[in-house]
Amino acid sequence: MFNTIKEVYDWLYTQKKITKREDLSRIKKCIEELNIVTNYKIIHVAGTNGKGSTCSYLKNILKNTMKRVGLFVSPYVISFNERIEVNDRYISDAEIMYYANLLYTYSNEYKHKYNDVIPFFELTLLMALMYFTDRQIDIAIIECGLGGLLDATNILNTNLAIITNIGYDHMSVLGNTLEEIANQKLGIIKENMTALCCVKPQLKQQFKDYCLQKHAKIIFVDEYVSDIYLDNKTHFEYKNEKFSTSLLGIYQAYNASLAIEAARFIDSSINDNIIQSGLEETFWPGRMEVVSSNPRIILDGAHNIDGIEALVETMNSLKDDKKIKVIFSALHDKAYDKMLNCLDNIADFYYFTTIVDTRASNPNEFLQYTAKPSKVINNIEMCLSEAIQDLKENEILLVTGSLHFISIVREKINNFLKK
């Protein structure tokens, strides 16, 4: 039994599956044996980029209709608690310990009975479902962990499927082409349901064909988005109605539109004031997050080529005549060669650094993929200190390359900002 939250995490993070998941039989057994009942509406969200902010927009809109809304997301930026939320309240450490103790006992019984391990993500999902039941929620927004078809979340009986932008990521698991990756994401669309999507034009026929087979209705929300522009907010029109969100990014207009359409699907009586209020309230750490206005410092957790392309598009809209310095670090299994090639379109100078992680890259590797002026500073604190100290009025400091990297920078950066 666990007496501290550290003990919980030490156990959770070491629970790894013995073999590659081939079906959803394990999570199905767990839900049945734990007598978990999901007697609430479930919105299922898959995609490569944009899942987190879409989920957050939708949660904020729906909670303003006086519904109790559960949110399950991954990964987190600041703390594990972010994974499980009801309305604006994260699950507490005490609650995590309570459910972890229940699951620890059950997982040992499961291992003895089936000679199998319940892995980290499935344990976390079970914790969320138990928590949602106890909190008597009305609606759950469930984000896929990886893919869709064989993601543990796909065992749930869902009312609505949302698929955000699809790009190249986790290719060793999901496939080497966009079409193969899309097929995994499409797996969350079940018979006779509605799917809201925002995907590249080259994938739309594949989506239409899949939904036709499933007798599912599909709505491509991107076809109704127009007039996007940025100032200190993201402004756009959806179906000829004006909206704005506090999250910066051209892509945020599409994420917000997915949330708008989903909210209207769940509650057809919802009014535009409630929608706008929910969009304005949304905050998503590490996504085009302005942590300092003077000097201008932006954190963005883009960690694949599609995320970087969207970031570059947004920065081009924001930078005016300012120069951009980039602090960059990426995990070794990411396509950082392509990421840097894209960032070269806006970067005037790079600081390359690293993190303490088994998946971290050697920052010297980055040098061969750019001809822009750069400097390697292995220590994050030293890198931040020098970059911020040298930042001029006509310059923006952009920190990007990895969500894990951004979460570490977020913890440390206040120590180096000018008071």
Side-chain angles (χ1 to χ4, degrees), residues 114-126:
Y114 299 109
N115 192 31
D116 191 17
V117 173
I118 307 172
F120 167 82
F121 183 77
E122 292 176 33
L123 287 166
T124 308
L125 175 60
L126 292 169

Side-chain angles (χ1 to χ4, degrees), residues 279-326:
L279 297 180
E280 290 282 356
E281 291 170 17
T282 299
F283 169 72
W284 201 239
R287 275 75 166 185
M288 280 301 298
E289 181 183 1
V290 180
V291 292
S292 172
S293 296
N294 185 25
R296 183 81 161 170
I297 302 173
I298 297 172
L299 310 185
D300 191 88
H303 55 279
N304 52 50
I305 184 60
D306 283 82
I308 291 292
E309 285 175 350
L311 170 61
V312 167
E313 183 182 24
T314 296
M315 290 301 297
N316 267 323
S317 299
L318 287 174
K319 71 174 186 174
D320 295 325
D321 58 349
K322 291 182 170 60
K323 292 184 177 181
I324 297 178
K325 290 182 172 178
V326 179

Side-chain angles (χ1 to χ4, degrees), residues 55 100 205 211 255 323 335 351 410:
C55 288
Q205 192 58 52
C211 287
N255 297 338
K323 292 184 177 181
Y351 297 94
R410 245 182 141 266

Side-chain angles (χ1 to χ4, degrees), residues 123-174:
L123 287 166
T124 308
L125 175 60
L126 292 169
M127 182 183 293
L129 297 177
M130 295 164 76
Y131 182 66
F132 291 161
T133 298
D134 290 347
R135 299 285 293 178
Q136 298 181 315
I137 66 168
D138 303 300
I139 304 164
I141 303 165
I142 306 287
E143 180 185 331
C144 284
L146 179 63
L149 180 64
L150 289 177
D151 190 80
T153 60
N154 207 29
I155 196 64
L156 300 170
N157 293 319
T158 52
N159 300 85
L160 177 68
I162 299 175
I163 300 180
T164 66
N165 171 59
I166 291 176
Y168 292 101
D169 204 2
H170 302 294
M171 292 158 68
S172 61
V173 178
L174 301 180

Side-chain angles (χ1 to χ4, degrees), residues 40-46 51-63 68-74 83-85 87 125 128-129 132 137-144 153 156 158 160 162 259 262-263 266:
Y40 41 80
K41 292 180 179 178
I42 299 177
I43 302 166
H44 203 186
V45 185
K51 298 190 300 296
S53 52
T54 299
C55 288
S56 190
Y57 286 132
L58 186 51
K59 180 264 298 182
N60 282 318
I61 293 169
L62 291 176
K63 76 175 176 58
R68 293 181 64 78
V69 185
L71 179 61
F72 175 73
V73 299
S74 66
R83 289 177 177 268
I84 304 169
E85 179 181 353
N87 287 0
L125 175 60
L129 297 177
F132 291 161
I137 66 168
D138 303 300
I139 304 164
I141 303 165
I142 306 287
E143 180 185 331
C144 284
T153 60
L156 300 170
T158 52
L160 177 68
I162 299 175
I266 294 296

